[in-house]
Amino acid sequence: MITVCSLARLSETVERTGARRLVTLISAGTEVRRPDSIAADDHLFLAFNDITAPAEGLTPPGEIHVRQLLDFVGTWDRAQPMVIHCFAGISRSTAAAYISACALSPHASETTLAKALRAASPSATPNARLVALADTLLGREGRMTAAVKAIGRGADAFEGTPFTLDVAAAGRP
């Protein structure tokens, strides 16, 4: 199980889910206190801005960030839940959850996984640059990008409501 939340809901979400793995996707300089129940080696911290194209003074998501995410997710034994969060729980974290689901379910339909994401979170608006980078790295030939585009922008929100994506169930036809 992957649970997605905002920075403001991080501690309570980790406690509620019993997660032992954590992915943080946040702008450099943002203070994030790792919950005590998460070992340092079980926390991936990726610092970049939530943008889809380069902009002066900002760090866009890059291939290195996606590779680090894929490597981290690839070592997850799935015995305990994982929490993925960004600042608002809407864009970077939902993209990372979708990317993780695609990586963990290599034969699953990208469309099915994107629809599962939308069903779990009406406000999910996955960062298109992150998804496109992962699409290439995972050899999905544009299907991830198309699937996320098909579910469209999520409902307007300042902060996403925490949600859980059951990777095993989402990957079933």
Side-chain angles (χ1 to χ4, degrees), residues 30-56:
T30 303
E31 186 177 334
V32 176
R33 185 179 173 279
R34 179 176 40 83
D36 293 336
S37 61
I38 305 289
D41 288 346
D42 290 327
H43 181 201
L44 176 64
F45 189 98
L46 299 173
F48 57 86
N49 296 95
D50 186 18
I51 56 177
T52 56
E56 189 173 331

Side-chain angles (χ1 to χ4, degrees), residues 73 101 143:
V73 169
R143 293 184 305 271

Side-chain angles (χ1 to χ4, degrees), residues 55-69:
E56 189 173 331
L58 300 177
T59 303
E63 182 178 318
I64 187 68
H65 300 117
V66 177
R67 284 189 187 281
Q68 289 174 326
L69 174 64

